[in-house]
């Protein structure tokens, strides 16, 4: 399959301008024959929203902007990031990722781990998502994660246990650490790559990571989006720091081959992990 | 604490470029003293926007820092940037004739604010964004004049310690004499920062780096061999200067208050 990565910068809080950019890239990716186009975290809104969070939030069921994206998804599968106004829990806004295909909303993942320390304050403005669930796409069993979700390895475990052969992580990760040992990118870029390499190999899955570029209030989004093969090999990495658009050929038949070489998934025991976790969680509660 | 100068240059020049455009400007303006920080900043601005988009203001008071002025003129000509020399002596003298003082610090602060005032005036005249030249060392210990040299549109070097700015300057190949000269705030003839602060920048940055970046406690730093008196003094300087790094607090009365719970991003719709 051909996956297009849109490592873009956005206009903070201006969903219309950002939508325009999305639709332009949809055209570009479609013309190049891509099957799936992935945008970064909060690609429709920008990241550092603060009080704008509730103002730019939209409800996929009723938003005219979302309708345009659904329309665009008739030609190419899309993953977009947005602030989601909850339909059922009035007033709540989630940091969400949507998978759109053939005019349908296939799946929404709401970010579970909201970084709220140091330079991050997501927990102040967003409600927390409640689950990790895999879903079927026309390519593979698929899982969606948003940025920090991927750094908690329990999230990837759930996707793996749910049978995902395609992990898609959308991100708005700022770069930090520019010491002499940092190489071409920030020190934190290595952290994402380390996880990408590990999770792709030990889950025998394709890992697609799409990060942002650009600046917001002094934050430097690190770029460096990447794709790892189910054998843990880096298929490609986009440049650090700058905006970039790239279409990559990914061989999905490798998922099967990797799982035959290393049957981690066959031998996995989620029910045993579940029981052990249950004991641990109960034990912690009793303390 | 050595930096990767190539990556740092990329990040900073990208920042200058993005923020200048977002602010609706094509040009930038900065005060060029001929010292290390403003020279490095001018260099980065030229890399980000091109030499024809950078305006340098050289703003001497009498002959307080003649070497600085000569260096600033040299940098402007090396970088092929437009520069203007504006003598701030008349207005400073006029003020202190009326309100005399012997305090060099008061005089220095007044000069810093006069330069700030001229920079903001030229920012509006020339439609140019003001680049600040404060470094992380100065910001942390509060070695700067509030609403003076600390005032700016954006601060490209605010996350680099003084010794890291020098490293960057070496990478950017700024003139050797500027790299080597003793840093001065130009408060009085022959004044040097290190004498006034009472520590060398090397030592100061080592301690700050451990306190701030490595999150070590003062006790840990002292145990690792730094002089107790110096470490404690630095901790005190950081504490006492927090007001220079913040917007002034607003007393909260209503349900929604600027700075407390009316919170919008700087780059809003940009």
């Amino acid at each position: 399959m051909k996956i297009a990565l849109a490592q873009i910068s956005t206009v903070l809080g201006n969903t219309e301008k950002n939508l325009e950019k999305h639709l332009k890239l949809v055209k570009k990716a479609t013309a190049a024959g891509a099957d799936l186009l992935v945008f970064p975290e909060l690609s429709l809104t920008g990241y550092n929203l603060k009080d704008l969070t509730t103002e730019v939030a939209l409800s996929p069921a009723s938003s005219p902007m979302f309708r345009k994206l659904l329309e665009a998804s008739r030609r190419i599968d899309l993953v977009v990031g947005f602030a989601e106004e909850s339909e059922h829990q009035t007033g709540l806004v989630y940091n969400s990722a949507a998978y759109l295909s053939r005019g349908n909303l296939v799946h929404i993942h709401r970010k579970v781990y909201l970084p709220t320390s140091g330079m991050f304050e997501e927990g102040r403005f967003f409600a927390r998502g409640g689950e990790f669930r895999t879903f079927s796409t026309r390519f593979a069993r698929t899982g969606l994660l948003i940025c920090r979700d991927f750094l908690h390895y329990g999230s990837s475990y759930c996707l793996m246990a749910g049978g995902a052969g395609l992990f898609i992580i959308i991100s708005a990760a700022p770069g930090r650490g520019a010491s002499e040992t940092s190489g071409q990118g920030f020190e934190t870029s290595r952290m994402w790559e380390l996880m990408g390499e590990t999770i792709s190999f030990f889950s025998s899955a394709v890992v697609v990571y799409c990060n942002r570029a650009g600046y917001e209030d002094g934050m430097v989004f690190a770029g460096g989006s990447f794709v790892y093969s189910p054998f843990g090999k880096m298929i490609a990495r986009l440049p650090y720091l700058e905006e970039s658009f790239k279409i990559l050929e990914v061989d999905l038949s490798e998922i099967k081959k990797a799982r035959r070489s290393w049957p981690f998934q066959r031998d996995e025991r989620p029910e045993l992990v579940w029981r052990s976790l249950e004991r641990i969680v109960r034990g912690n509660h009793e303390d | 604490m050595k930096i990767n100068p190539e990556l740092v240059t990329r990040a900073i020049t990208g920042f200058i470029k993005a923020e200048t455009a977002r602010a609706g400007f094509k040009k930038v303006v900065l005060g060029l003293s001929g010292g290390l920080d403003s020279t490095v900043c001018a260099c980065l601005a030229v890399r980000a926007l091109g030499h024809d988009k950078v305006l340098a203001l050289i703003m001497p008071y009498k002959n307080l820092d003649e070497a600085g002025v000569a260096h600033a003129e040299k940098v402007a000509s090396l970088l092929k940037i437009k520069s203007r020399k504006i003598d701030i002596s008349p207005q400073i003298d006029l003020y202190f004739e009326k309100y005399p003082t012997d305090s060099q610090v008061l005089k220095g602060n007044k000069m810093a604010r006069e330069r700030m005032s001229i920079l903001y005036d030229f920012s509006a005249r020339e439609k140019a964004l003001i680049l600040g030249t404060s470094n992380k060392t100065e910001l942390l210990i509060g070695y700067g004049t509030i609403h003076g040299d600390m005032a700016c549109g954006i601060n490209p070097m605010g996350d680099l310690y003084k010794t890291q700015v020098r490293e960057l300057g070496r990478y950017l190949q700024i003139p050797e004499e500027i790299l080597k000269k003793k840093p001065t705030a130009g408060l009085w003839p022959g004044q040097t920062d290190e004498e006034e602060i009472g520590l060398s920048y090397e030592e100061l940055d080592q301690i700050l780096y451990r306190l701030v970046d490595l999150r070590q406690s003062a006790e840990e730093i002292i145990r690792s061999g730094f002089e107790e008196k110096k470490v404690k003094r630095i901790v005190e300087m950081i504490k006492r200067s927090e007001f220079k790094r913040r917007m002034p607090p607003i007393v909260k009365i209503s349900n929604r208050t600027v700075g407390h719970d009316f919170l919008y991003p700087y780059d809003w719709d940009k």
Side-chain angles (χ1 to χ4, degrees), chain A residues 12 14 50-51 55 178-180 182-183 215 217 240 242, chain B residues 2 4 10-11 14-15 22 256 261 263-264 266-269:
Chain A
L12 191 51
N14 190 327
K50 298 178 187 274
D51 277 359
E55 296 169 30
S179 73
E180 55 183 341
S182 62
Y215 298 79
D217 290 19
Y240 295 115
E242 64 204 46
Chain B
K2 268 190 169 312
N4 173 342
R10 258 186 89 190
F15 174 67
R22 280 170 167 173
R256 202 171 175 208
D261 38 24
L263 302 167
Y264 285 86
Y266 188 91
D267 286 331
W268 187 356
D269 200 8

PDB file of all heavy atoms in Angstrom, chain A residues 12 14 50-51 55 178-180 182-183 215 217 240 242, chain B residues 2 4 10-11 14-15 22 256 261 263-264 266-269:
ATOM      1  N   LEU A  12      -2.748  28.217  14.218  1.00  0.00           N
ATOM      2  CA  LEU A  12      -3.296  27.915  15.542  1.00  0.00           C
ATOM      3  C   LEU A  12      -4.704  28.499  15.719  1.00  0.00           C
ATOM      4  O   LEU A  12      -4.888  29.718  15.707  1.00  0.00           O
ATOM      5  CB  LEU A  12      -2.337  28.459  16.601  1.00  0.00           C
ATOM      6  CG  LEU A  12      -2.561  28.044  18.046  1.00  0.00           C
ATOM      7  CD1 LEU A  12      -2.697  26.550  18.207  1.00  0.00           C
ATOM      8  CD2 LEU A  12      -1.432  28.564  18.913  1.00  0.00           C
ATOM      9  N   ASN A  14      -7.258  28.264  13.680  1.00  0.00           N
ATOM     10  CA  ASN A  14      -8.008  28.609  12.468  1.00  0.00           C
ATOM     11  C   ASN A  14      -8.324  27.345  11.670  1.00  0.00           C
ATOM     12  O   ASN A  14      -7.574  26.928  10.786  1.00  0.00           O
ATOM     13  CB  ASN A  14      -7.200  29.605  11.621  1.00  0.00           C
ATOM     14  CG  ASN A  14      -8.023  30.193  10.488  1.00  0.00           C
ATOM     15  OD1 ASN A  14      -8.890  29.535   9.943  1.00  0.00           O
ATOM     16  ND2 ASN A  14      -7.743  31.436  10.146  1.00  0.00           N
ATOM     17  N   LYS A  50      -5.031  26.141  24.401  1.00  0.00           N
ATOM     18  CA  LYS A  50      -5.495  26.730  25.665  1.00  0.00           C
ATOM     19  C   LYS A  50      -7.019  26.956  25.626  1.00  0.00           C
ATOM     20  O   LYS A  50      -7.745  26.046  25.275  1.00  0.00           O
ATOM     21  CB  LYS A  50      -4.751  28.028  25.955  1.00  0.00           C
ATOM     22  CG  LYS A  50      -3.250  27.828  26.136  1.00  0.00           C
ATOM     23  CD  LYS A  50      -2.559  29.161  26.382  1.00  0.00           C
ATOM     24  CE  LYS A  50      -1.067  29.039  26.398  1.00  0.00           C
ATOM     25  NZ  LYS A  50      -0.550  28.673  27.734  1.00  0.00           N
ATOM     26  N   ASP A  51      -7.445  28.202  25.899  1.00  0.00           N
ATOM     27  CA  ASP A  51      -8.890  28.467  25.939  1.00  0.00           C
ATOM     28  C   ASP A  51      -9.586  28.346  24.582  1.00  0.00           C
ATOM     29  O   ASP A  51     -10.813  28.340  24.507  1.00  0.00           O
ATOM     30  CB  ASP A  51      -9.146  29.876  26.511  1.00  0.00           C
ATOM     31  CG  ASP A  51      -9.130  29.882  28.036  1.00  0.00           C
ATOM     32  OD1 ASP A  51      -8.933  28.793  28.623  1.00  0.00           O
ATOM     33  OD2 ASP A  51      -9.305  30.953  28.630  1.00  0.00           O
ATOM     34  N   GLU A  55     -13.548  26.447  21.722  1.00  0.00           N
ATOM     35  CA  GLU A  55     -14.063  27.270  20.618  1.00  0.00           C
ATOM     36  C   GLU A  55     -13.880  26.599  19.259  1.00  0.00           C
ATOM     37  O   GLU A  55     -14.634  26.863  18.331  1.00  0.00           O
ATOM     38  CB  GLU A  55     -13.371  28.643  20.624  1.00  0.00           C
ATOM     39  CG  GLU A  55     -13.698  29.438  21.889  1.00  0.00           C
ATOM     40  CD  GLU A  55     -12.833  30.682  22.052  1.00  0.00           C
ATOM     41  OE1 GLU A  55     -12.416  31.256  21.029  1.00  0.00           O
ATOM     42  OE2 GLU A  55     -12.570  31.062  23.198  1.00  0.00           O
ATOM     43  N   ALA A 178      19.306  19.796  22.554  1.00  0.00           N
ATOM     44  CA  ALA A 178      20.126  19.958  21.349  1.00  0.00           C
ATOM     45  C   ALA A 178      21.596  19.917  21.750  1.00  0.00           C
ATOM     46  O   ALA A 178      22.376  20.787  21.396  1.00  0.00           O
ATOM     47  CB  ALA A 178      19.787  21.266  20.650  1.00  0.00           C
ATOM     48  N   SER A 179      21.969  18.890  22.503  1.00  0.00           N
ATOM     49  CA  SER A 179      23.363  18.787  22.919  1.00  0.00           C
ATOM     50  C   SER A 179      24.191  18.219  21.778  1.00  0.00           C
ATOM     51  O   SER A 179      23.649  17.795  20.764  1.00  0.00           O
ATOM     52  CB  SER A 179      23.475  17.883  24.147  1.00  0.00           C
ATOM     53  OG  SER A 179      23.280  16.553  23.756  1.00  0.00           O
ATOM     54  N   GLU A 180      25.485  18.205  21.964  1.00  0.00           N
ATOM     55  CA  GLU A 180      26.380  17.807  20.868  1.00  0.00           C
ATOM     56  C   GLU A 180      26.132  16.378  20.389  1.00  0.00           C
ATOM     57  O   GLU A 180      26.510  16.017  19.287  1.00  0.00           O
ATOM     58  CB  GLU A 180      27.837  17.995  21.271  1.00  0.00           C
ATOM     59  CG  GLU A 180      28.194  17.267  22.568  1.00  0.00           C
ATOM     60  CD  GLU A 180      29.629  17.515  22.990  1.00  0.00           C
ATOM     61  OE1 GLU A 180      30.437  17.919  22.140  1.00  0.00           O
ATOM     62  OE2 GLU A 180      29.931  17.282  24.171  1.00  0.00           O
ATOM     63  N   SER A 182      23.164  15.068  19.912  1.00  0.00           N
ATOM     64  CA  SER A 182      21.785  14.901  19.437  1.00  0.00           C
ATOM     65  C   SER A 182      21.658  14.542  17.959  1.00  0.00           C
ATOM     66  O   SER A 182      20.579  14.195  17.510  1.00  0.00           O
ATOM     67  CB  SER A 182      20.975  16.159  19.740  1.00  0.00           C
ATOM     68  OG  SER A 182      21.515  17.256  19.065  1.00  0.00           O
ATOM     69  N   GLY A 183      22.723  14.611  17.194  1.00  0.00           N
ATOM     70  CA  GLY A 183      22.624  14.269  15.769  1.00  0.00           C
ATOM     71  C   GLY A 183      21.858  15.322  14.998  1.00  0.00           C
ATOM     72  O   GLY A 183      21.860  16.491  15.356  1.00  0.00           O
ATOM     73  N   TYR A 215       6.274  26.083  14.439  1.00  0.00           N
ATOM     74  CA  TYR A 215       6.494  26.682  15.758  1.00  0.00           C
ATOM     75  C   TYR A 215       5.165  27.152  16.337  1.00  0.00           C
ATOM     76  O   TYR A 215       4.307  27.633  15.604  1.00  0.00           O
ATOM     77  CB  TYR A 215       7.413  27.899  15.636  1.00  0.00           C
ATOM     78  CG  TYR A 215       8.793  27.575  15.119  1.00  0.00           C
ATOM     79  CD1 TYR A 215       9.019  27.366  13.766  1.00  0.00           C
ATOM     80  CD2 TYR A 215       9.867  27.480  15.994  1.00  0.00           C
ATOM     81  CE1 TYR A 215      10.285  27.066  13.294  1.00  0.00           C
ATOM     82  CE2 TYR A 215      11.142  27.186  15.536  1.00  0.00           C
ATOM     83  CZ  TYR A 215      11.346  26.981  14.174  1.00  0.00           C
ATOM     84  OH  TYR A 215      12.598  26.683  13.711  1.00  0.00           O
ATOM     85  N   ASP A 217       4.166  29.384  19.911  1.00  0.00           N
ATOM     86  CA  ASP A 217       4.547  29.984  21.190  1.00  0.00           C
ATOM     87  C   ASP A 217       5.938  29.535  21.640  1.00  0.00           C
ATOM     88  O   ASP A 217       6.157  29.247  22.826  1.00  0.00           O
ATOM     89  CB  ASP A 217       3.519  29.625  22.278  1.00  0.00           C
ATOM     90  CG  ASP A 217       2.189  30.344  22.046  1.00  0.00           C
ATOM     91  OD1 ASP A 217       1.949  30.799  20.919  1.00  0.00           O
ATOM     92  OD2 ASP A 217       1.408  30.476  22.998  1.00  0.00           O
ATOM     93  N   TYR A 240      13.777  16.331   9.935  1.00  0.00           N
ATOM     94  CA  TYR A 240      13.464  16.939  11.233  1.00  0.00           C
ATOM     95  C   TYR A 240      13.112  18.413  11.032  1.00  0.00           C
ATOM     96  O   TYR A 240      13.607  19.052  10.099  1.00  0.00           O
ATOM     97  CB  TYR A 240      14.665  16.834  12.170  1.00  0.00           C
ATOM     98  CG  TYR A 240      15.021  15.410  12.536  1.00  0.00           C
ATOM     99  CD1 TYR A 240      16.228  14.860  12.144  1.00  0.00           C
ATOM    100  CD2 TYR A 240      14.141  14.627  13.272  1.00  0.00           C
ATOM    101  CE1 TYR A 240      16.569  13.561  12.488  1.00  0.00           C
ATOM    102  CE2 TYR A 240      14.471  13.324  13.623  1.00  0.00           C
ATOM    103  CZ  TYR A 240      15.681  12.789  13.223  1.00  0.00           C
ATOM    104  OH  TYR A 240      16.005  11.511  13.559  1.00  0.00           O
ATOM    105  N   GLU A 242      11.325  20.604   9.643  1.00  0.00           N
ATOM    106  CA  GLU A 242      10.617  21.339   8.593  1.00  0.00           C
ATOM    107  C   GLU A 242       9.385  20.588   8.082  1.00  0.00           C
ATOM    108  O   GLU A 242       9.266  19.374   8.254  1.00  0.00           O
ATOM    109  CB  GLU A 242      11.563  21.646   7.442  1.00  0.00           C
ATOM    110  CG  GLU A 242      12.085  20.432   6.745  1.00  0.00           C
ATOM    111  CD  GLU A 242      13.421  20.709   6.048  1.00  0.00           C
ATOM    112  OE1 GLU A 242      14.304  21.316   6.668  1.00  0.00           O
ATOM    113  OE2 GLU A 242      13.554  20.322   4.893  1.00  0.00           O
TER     114      GLU A 242
ATOM    115  N   LYS B   2      27.545  21.107  26.096  1.00  0.00           N
ATOM    116  CA  LYS B   2      27.888  21.536  24.730  1.00  0.00           C
ATOM    117  C   LYS B   2      26.674  21.361  23.817  1.00  0.00           C
ATOM    118  O   LYS B   2      25.939  20.392  23.939  1.00  0.00           O
ATOM    119  CB  LYS B   2      29.039  20.691  24.196  1.00  0.00           C
ATOM    120  CG  LYS B   2      30.421  21.277  24.453  1.00  0.00           C
ATOM    121  CD  LYS B   2      31.449  20.475  23.670  1.00  0.00           C
ATOM    122  CE  LYS B   2      32.827  21.055  23.609  1.00  0.00           C
ATOM    123  NZ  LYS B   2      33.010  22.401  23.276  1.00  0.00           N
ATOM    124  N   ASN B   4      24.662  21.297  19.937  1.00  0.00           N
ATOM    125  CA  ASN B   4      24.794  20.920  18.542  1.00  0.00           C
ATOM    126  C   ASN B   4      24.492  22.198  17.737  1.00  0.00           C
ATOM    127  O   ASN B   4      23.334  22.548  17.529  1.00  0.00           O
ATOM    128  CB  ASN B   4      23.766  19.822  18.250  1.00  0.00           C
ATOM    129  CG  ASN B   4      23.668  19.456  16.798  1.00  0.00           C
ATOM    130  OD1 ASN B   4      24.101  20.192  15.914  1.00  0.00           O
ATOM    131  ND2 ASN B   4      23.066  18.308  16.536  1.00  0.00           N
ATOM    132  N   ARG B  10      19.431  25.876  13.028  1.00  0.00           N
ATOM    133  CA  ARG B  10      18.225  25.564  12.250  1.00  0.00           C
ATOM    134  C   ARG B  10      16.966  25.928  13.014  1.00  0.00           C
ATOM    135  O   ARG B  10      16.038  26.521  12.476  1.00  0.00           O
ATOM    136  CB  ARG B  10      18.179  24.063  11.949  1.00  0.00           C
ATOM    137  CG  ARG B  10      18.601  23.702  10.550  1.00  0.00           C
ATOM    138  CD  ARG B  10      18.389  22.220  10.306  1.00  0.00           C
ATOM    139  NE  ARG B  10      17.064  21.937   9.794  1.00  0.00           N
ATOM    140  CZ  ARG B  10      16.569  20.710   9.678  1.00  0.00           C
ATOM    141  NH1 ARG B  10      17.295  19.668  10.042  1.00  0.00           N
ATOM    142  NH2 ARG B  10      15.370  20.518   9.195  1.00  0.00           N
ATOM    143  N   ALA B  11      16.946  25.541  14.297  1.00  0.00           N
ATOM    144  CA  ALA B  11      15.747  25.789  15.114  1.00  0.00           C
ATOM    145  C   ALA B  11      15.524  27.296  15.286  1.00  0.00           C
ATOM    146  O   ALA B  11      14.399  27.777  15.151  1.00  0.00           O
ATOM    147  CB  ALA B  11      15.877  25.108  16.473  1.00  0.00           C
ATOM    148  N   GLY B  14      14.640  29.160  11.907  1.00  0.00           N
ATOM    149  CA  GLY B  14      13.258  28.815  11.554  1.00  0.00           C
ATOM    150  C   GLY B  14      12.272  29.588  12.412  1.00  0.00           C
ATOM    151  O   GLY B  14      11.234  30.058  11.938  1.00  0.00           O
ATOM    152  N   PHE B  15      12.610  29.735  13.686  1.00  0.00           N
ATOM    153  CA  PHE B  15      11.769  30.470  14.637  1.00  0.00           C
ATOM    154  C   PHE B  15      11.673  31.947  14.240  1.00  0.00           C
ATOM    155  O   PHE B  15      10.582  32.529  14.181  1.00  0.00           O
ATOM    156  CB  PHE B  15      12.368  30.322  16.039  1.00  0.00           C
ATOM    157  CG  PHE B  15      11.699  31.129  17.115  1.00  0.00           C
ATOM    158  CD1 PHE B  15      10.402  30.850  17.507  1.00  0.00           C
ATOM    159  CD2 PHE B  15      12.386  32.154  17.760  1.00  0.00           C
ATOM    160  CE1 PHE B  15       9.785  31.583  18.517  1.00  0.00           C
ATOM    161  CE2 PHE B  15      11.782  32.891  18.778  1.00  0.00           C
ATOM    162  CZ  PHE B  15      10.482  32.613  19.151  1.00  0.00           C
ATOM    163  N   ARG B  22       4.508  35.741  11.029  1.00  0.00           N
ATOM    164  CA  ARG B  22       3.255  35.683  11.778  1.00  0.00           C
ATOM    165  C   ARG B  22       2.890  37.030  12.379  1.00  0.00           C
ATOM    166  O   ARG B  22       1.720  37.363  12.515  1.00  0.00           O
ATOM    167  CB  ARG B  22       3.376  34.668  12.901  1.00  0.00           C
ATOM    168  CG  ARG B  22       3.199  33.256  12.403  1.00  0.00           C
ATOM    169  CD  ARG B  22       3.558  32.309  13.504  1.00  0.00           C
ATOM    170  NE  ARG B  22       3.122  30.965  13.189  1.00  0.00           N
ATOM    171  CZ  ARG B  22       3.420  29.914  13.927  1.00  0.00           C
ATOM    172  NH1 ARG B  22       4.158  30.055  15.010  1.00  0.00           N
ATOM    173  NH2 ARG B  22       2.997  28.726  13.595  1.00  0.00           N
ATOM    174  N   ARG B 256     -13.479  35.426  35.486  1.00  0.00           N
ATOM    175  CA  ARG B 256     -12.501  35.108  34.441  1.00  0.00           C
ATOM    176  C   ARG B 256     -11.562  36.293  34.280  1.00  0.00           C
ATOM    177  O   ARG B 256     -11.993  37.413  34.016  1.00  0.00           O
ATOM    178  CB  ARG B 256     -13.208  34.798  33.125  1.00  0.00           C
ATOM    179  CG  ARG B 256     -12.326  33.971  32.219  1.00  0.00           C
ATOM    180  CD  ARG B 256     -13.088  33.479  31.017  1.00  0.00           C
ATOM    181  NE  ARG B 256     -12.182  32.785  30.106  1.00  0.00           N
ATOM    182  CZ  ARG B 256     -12.363  32.699  28.804  1.00  0.00           C
ATOM    183  NH1 ARG B 256     -13.408  33.287  28.242  1.00  0.00           N
ATOM    184  NH2 ARG B 256     -11.505  32.059  28.056  1.00  0.00           N
ATOM    185  N   ASP B 261      -7.314  32.766  34.147  1.00  0.00           N
ATOM    186  CA  ASP B 261      -8.149  31.787  33.457  1.00  0.00           C
ATOM    187  C   ASP B 261      -8.735  32.348  32.169  1.00  0.00           C
ATOM    188  O   ASP B 261      -9.736  31.856  31.672  1.00  0.00           O
ATOM    189  CB  ASP B 261      -9.231  31.213  34.386  1.00  0.00           C
ATOM    190  CG  ASP B 261      -9.807  32.257  35.310  1.00  0.00           C
ATOM    191  OD1 ASP B 261      -9.735  33.447  34.954  1.00  0.00           O
ATOM    192  OD2 ASP B 261     -10.324  31.906  36.382  1.00  0.00           O
ATOM    193  N   LEU B 263      -6.941  32.448  28.949  1.00  0.00           N
ATOM    194  CA  LEU B 263      -5.639  31.969  28.509  1.00  0.00           C
ATOM    195  C   LEU B 263      -5.641  31.671  27.019  1.00  0.00           C
ATOM    196  O   LEU B 263      -6.202  30.662  26.589  1.00  0.00           O
ATOM    197  CB  LEU B 263      -5.271  30.693  29.286  1.00  0.00           C
ATOM    198  CG  LEU B 263      -5.214  30.821  30.803  1.00  0.00           C
ATOM    199  CD1 LEU B 263      -5.148  29.448  31.448  1.00  0.00           C
ATOM    200  CD2 LEU B 263      -4.014  31.663  31.227  1.00  0.00           C
ATOM    201  N   TYR B 264      -5.045  32.530  26.263  1.00  0.00           N
ATOM    202  CA  TYR B 264      -4.967  32.291  24.825  1.00  0.00           C
ATOM    203  C   TYR B 264      -3.506  32.224  24.389  1.00  0.00           C
ATOM    204  O   TYR B 264      -2.635  32.836  25.016  1.00  0.00           O
ATOM    205  CB  TYR B 264      -5.724  33.388  24.059  1.00  0.00           C
ATOM    206  CG  TYR B 264      -7.215  33.183  24.176  1.00  0.00           C
ATOM    207  CD1 TYR B 264      -7.919  33.701  25.261  1.00  0.00           C
ATOM    208  CD2 TYR B 264      -7.900  32.427  23.246  1.00  0.00           C
ATOM    209  CE1 TYR B 264      -9.272  33.472  25.400  1.00  0.00           C
ATOM    210  CE2 TYR B 264      -9.258  32.191  23.373  1.00  0.00           C
ATOM    211  CZ  TYR B 264      -9.938  32.720  24.445  1.00  0.00           C
ATOM    212  OH  TYR B 264     -11.279  32.476  24.581  1.00  0.00           O
ATOM    213  N   TYR B 266      -0.053  32.774  22.281  1.00  0.00           N
ATOM    214  CA  TYR B 266       0.629  33.907  21.662  1.00  0.00           C
ATOM    215  C   TYR B 266       0.441  33.882  20.143  1.00  0.00           C
ATOM    216  O   TYR B 266       0.202  34.895  19.508  1.00  0.00           O
ATOM    217  CB  TYR B 266       2.113  33.801  22.026  1.00  0.00           C
ATOM    218  CG  TYR B 266       2.962  34.982  21.649  1.00  0.00           C
ATOM    219  CD1 TYR B 266       3.159  36.028  22.541  1.00  0.00           C
ATOM    220  CD2 TYR B 266       3.582  35.038  20.413  1.00  0.00           C
ATOM    221  CE1 TYR B 266       3.941  37.100  22.204  1.00  0.00           C
ATOM    222  CE2 TYR B 266       4.377  36.111  20.065  1.00  0.00           C
ATOM    223  CZ  TYR B 266       4.553  37.141  20.957  1.00  0.00           C
ATOM    224  OH  TYR B 266       5.333  38.205  20.616  1.00  0.00           O
ATOM    225  N   ASP B 267       0.544  32.700  19.572  1.00  0.00           N
ATOM    226  CA  ASP B 267       0.458  32.566  18.114  1.00  0.00           C
ATOM    227  C   ASP B 267      -0.970  32.330  17.624  1.00  0.00           C
ATOM    228  O   ASP B 267      -1.188  31.710  16.589  1.00  0.00           O
ATOM    229  CB  ASP B 267       1.368  31.416  17.640  1.00  0.00           C
ATOM    230  CG  ASP B 267       2.827  31.808  17.691  1.00  0.00           C
ATOM    231  OD1 ASP B 267       3.123  33.003  17.549  1.00  0.00           O
ATOM    232  OD2 ASP B 267       3.674  30.917  17.880  1.00  0.00           O
ATOM    233  N   TRP B 268      -1.917  32.827  18.341  1.00  0.00           N
ATOM    234  CA  TRP B 268      -3.344  32.698  18.059  1.00  0.00           C
ATOM    235  C   TRP B 268      -3.662  33.142  16.630  1.00  0.00           C
ATOM    236  O   TRP B 268      -3.387  34.268  16.266  1.00  0.00           O
ATOM    237  CB  TRP B 268      -4.076  33.586  19.071  1.00  0.00           C
ATOM    238  CG  TRP B 268      -5.549  33.519  19.093  1.00  0.00           C
ATOM    239  CD1 TRP B 268      -6.379  32.820  18.278  1.00  0.00           C
ATOM    240  CD2 TRP B 268      -6.388  34.218  20.032  1.00  0.00           C
ATOM    241  NE1 TRP B 268      -7.675  33.034  18.644  1.00  0.00           N
ATOM    242  CE2 TRP B 268      -7.717  33.888  19.701  1.00  0.00           C
ATOM    243  CE3 TRP B 268      -6.143  35.083  21.105  1.00  0.00           C
ATOM    244  CZ2 TRP B 268      -8.793  34.398  20.423  1.00  0.00           C
ATOM    245  CZ3 TRP B 268      -7.214  35.589  21.816  1.00  0.00           C
ATOM    246  CH2 TRP B 268      -8.523  35.250  21.485  1.00  0.00           C
ATOM    247  N   ASP B 269      -4.225  32.246  15.863  1.00  0.00           N
ATOM    248  CA  ASP B 269      -4.624  32.517  14.472  1.00  0.00           C
ATOM    249  C   ASP B 269      -3.466  33.044  13.618  1.00  0.00           C
ATOM    250  O   ASP B 269      -3.655  33.890  12.746  1.00  0.00           O
ATOM    251  CB  ASP B 269      -5.801  33.501  14.444  1.00  0.00           C
ATOM    252  CG  ASP B 269      -6.558  33.427  13.114  1.00  0.00           C
ATOM    253  OD1 ASP B 269      -6.274  32.521  12.299  1.00  0.00           O
ATOM    254  OD2 ASP B 269      -7.421  34.284  12.883  1.00  0.00           O
TER     255      ASP B 269
END
